[in-house]
Amino acid sequence: MYIIMENTPEMECVDHGEGLHSDSAYGSSAVDTDTEDCLTPLEITFPYNEDQMHKTIMVGDSGVGKTSLLVQYDQGKFIPGSFSATVGIGFTNKVVTVDNAKVKLQIWDTAGQERFRSVTHAYYRDAQALLLLYDITSKSSFDNIRAWLTEIHEYAQKDVVIMLLGNKTDMAGERVIKREEGEKLAKEYGVPFMETSAKTGVNVELAFLAVAKELKHRAAQQPNEPKFQIHEYIASEKQKSGCCGGYM
Ligand SMILES: Nc1nc2c(ncn2[C@@H]2O[C@H](COP(=O)(O)OP(=O)(O)OP(=O)(O)O)[C@@H](O)[C@H]2O)c(=O)[nH]1
């Protein structure tokens, strides 16, 4: 007698001896057979549940462009003018189509100022993705990335998806952080990296799409399916767009 257990990625043949009962813990998935061979594996898949909401948080120093990046992504526009720092926290819902599935992102914009830091920490815990920004025209915002990563590792879940973004690439004349420096730091921490501009919209869509793809693949990994490689995906997209032209 053998039972094939449902939700087991690889087929298992378990010998339970004689007398398989219909009120078995495995219910209808239990298969009664008198043969000595294992049965053909069941076609087990883990469909992606489109109802789930993926909490994604934007973090980084005050003024790096978190709000502007989110506004560009959500509304396709950039509001120039005087800088008004975010106070508190708020979110925007976005639906991204990944491989014909609708992936729902709930994107939280946080205040970068130090005085709001304890509020932000509380939101890390159930975040599935974090977009960590620095401003390519601000050395201090780049230097602080290590401290942000330390905080993220302290307060967020271990498997949170982290993406490092160097924002404001349109301000090439004022650049103080080379793209290579961003890449090197990202490599050190094993996180994907891109340069963006909330003003021109360069790479904004791609950054969120890459995160959505990673989240979707994690949530619905098929048995024997190769793991989604976010680094390779970004690299190939960069290549397609003739990377890097001072942008990525
Ligand atoms: N040129 C240019 N300016 C940008 C870009 N992104 C943001 N800015 C400007 O930088 C300033 C700060 O942008 P915000 O989006 O408010 O920055 P933030 O990270 O949300 O700041 P906090 O809310 O304090 O955490 C604003 O004046 C924006 O217009 C960009 O990509 N290019």
Side-chain angles (χ1 to χ4, degrees), residues 1 27 32 58 96 100 114 122 147 166 224 244:
M1 293 281 174
D32 194 354
M58 323 267 300
V96 187
N100 297 320
E114 186 75 43
N224 307 321
C244 296

Side-chain angles (χ1 to χ4, degrees), residues 171-185:
M171 297 175 73
E174 292 164 59
R175 180 191 277 274
V176 292
I177 304 298
K178 293 189 193 122
R179 178 169 51 84
E180 293 74 17
E181 291 176 81
E183 276 172 353
K184 192 169 165 232
L185 184 65

